[in-house]
Amino acid sequence: MALSDKSDPDTGDGDQNQGPVIRDNRRIDPETGEVRDPEAKKAEETEVSEEDEATEVEAEVEAEVEDIPEVPDTPESVVSEAINADERVVELTNDIKRVQAEYSNYRKRVERDRVAVREVATAQVVGELLPVLDDIGRARDHDELNGGFKAVGEALEATVTKLGLEKYGEQGDEFDPNVHEALTLVPVPNISAQTVIEVFQPGYRIGERILRPARVVVGEPMGDESETAEAAADEPTDSTEDGEDKK
């Protein structure tokens, strides 16, 4: 046997081991009398060292696991409150969307009513000016719209046009009983539909609102000329009747 104060290089402990280390370097085992195998002994020591290291690692892992704080389970009341909160959010979101839709519809309705009220008020005011516009038109037709009267008349026409007043009713327009007032019907050849052939008084409208219908003379399409001729040929003439009377 030998005493050694140095650390065993095979164990890797270094200077951490304290105290004497006793090694049995005898080649023959005094107990069994067999020759010792230093390589087998070294492998056995290495295996023991690896087992010790594995044990130490397992101990460290267990210690770290024990140091991790345990997370408590979430109480059912908290989970229920979270679910109720989500449902409440969905409900409030739907309420907000409904209120926005109602406000949008209300705003559109108010705007539509405002436009209608403005059209009615404009129609009432402009309707009182229609006789004046008729006088201006007649003066223009007779070349009497001159001087300052011409400037005033044109300014008035421009103003009412800006307000949305539209004049309609021209010779050659197709007759429409919704916007025209027929004063008389005149048979006219070579037309296929009732047509305005003369305008006595023009019509005025604002948008779709008719302030005054156009008063016109309407041309009525005549029947087929051949049919008219045949009908005339079938009718007896005065000369024939006179001849019969003489006989």
Side-chain angles (χ1 to χ4, degrees), residues 57-224:
V57 171
E58 291 179 358
E60 291 177 359
V61 172
E62 291 178 358
E64 292 179 357
V65 171
E66 291 177 356
D67 293 340
I68 297 175
E70 294 183 358
V71 179
D73 295 337
T74 304
E76 294 182 359
S77 59
V78 176
V79 175
S80 178
E81 290 178 359
I83 295 175
N84 294 334
D86 293 339
E87 294 177 353
R88 183 60 176 167
V89 169
V90 173
E91 183 179 355
L92 292 175
T93 302
N94 293 333
D95 291 342
I96 292 173
K97 292 180 179 179
R98 183 168 57 255
V99 171
Q100 288 178 342
E102 292 177 355
Y103 175 72
S104 178
N105 294 333
Y106 169 76
R107 185 175 57 185
K108 292 178 181 179
R109 185 169 60 254
V110 169
E111 183 64 24
R112 185 170 58 251
D113 294 342
R114 183 183 295 112
V115 172
V117 170
R118 184 169 59 248
E119 288 183 355
V120 171
T122 303
Q124 290 177 349
V125 173
V126 175
E128 299 296 330
L129 298 176
L130 295 184
V132 179
L133 296 175
D134 291 336
D135 293 339
I136 295 173
R138 283 191 290 268
R140 182 181 289 108
D141 294 337
H142 293 82
D143 295 330
E144 296 179 357
L145 191 64
N146 301 315
F149 180 55
K150 179 180 180 180
V152 172
E154 292 178 349
L156 179 60
E157 291 176 339
T159 301
V160 295
T161 301
K162 186 182 298 184
L163 294 174
L165 183 66
E166 180 184 359
K167 179 181 178 181
Y168 71 92
E170 298 291 340
Q171 184 177 357
D173 293 345
E174 184 175 351
F175 175 72
D176 184 357
N178 296 318
V179 296
H180 296 111
E181 180 182 349
L183 299 180
T184 183
L185 292 175
V186 178
V188 178
N190 301 325
I191 60 174
S192 60
Q194 292 182 336
T195 307
V196 175
I197 60 175
E198 186 178 355
V199 179
F200 282 164
Q201 193 176 52
Y204 289 96
R205 60 190 171 193
I206 294 179
E208 300 297 330
R209 184 186 300 273
I210 301 298
L211 299 185
R212 188 183 69 187
R215 296 176 180 177
V216 298
V217 176
V218 180
E220 181 74 13
M222 295 179 62
D224 192 355

